[in-house]
Amino acid sequence: QPGEIQEFAVSLAGAVKSAIKIKVLSPEGKDVRYYSKTIPLQNGSGAGSFRTALNDQAGQWKVIAKDVITGFETEQYFELEPVK
């Protein structure tokens, strides 16, 4: 639901210390920069969160995680339901 916290965890095998750039795309594919952040990894793991806005568009959102050192990238999705 809009207004809820979206939590995520990232891990990178073999990485002792690194950072992951988080990028969030709206259902229209637009980069929502105010949700973007850089997460430090300690012993290959890190976590973060962001709260969606009450007026965020309903639909499937994409979260892209990219290692700043290797460039390795992965993506996950979450769904925002329409406000009723």
Side-chain angles (χ1 to χ4, degrees):
Q1 290 284 20
E4 291 184 345
I5 295 174
Q6 301 295 320
E7 297 178 325
F8 54 88
V10 293
S11 61
L12 186 60
V16 176
K17 206 169 190 183
S18 187
I20 300 291
K21 175 71 177 162
I22 301 297
K23 185 175 177 178
V24 180
L25 303 180
S26 73
E28 295 176 334
K30 293 181 182 176
D31 184 1
V32 184
R33 294 178 186 242
Y34 47 86
Y35 292 147
S36 297
K37 55 182 68 187
T38 301
I39 303 296
L41 297 184
Q42 293 294 328
N43 298 317
S45 297
S49 65
F50 60 91
R51 180 180 298 274
T52 57
L54 292 173
N55 63 345
D56 274 342
Q57 181 183 6
Q60 188 177 60
W61 289 65
K62 182 191 293 188
V63 179
I64 301 170
K66 183 176 183 178
D67 180 57
V68 298
I69 295 173
T70 66
F72 178 78
E73 190 174 283
T74 188
E75 56 192 48
Q76 292 290 322
Y77 298 86
F78 68 93
E79 190 79 24
L80 281 185
E81 301 294 327
V83 176
K84 296 178 182 176

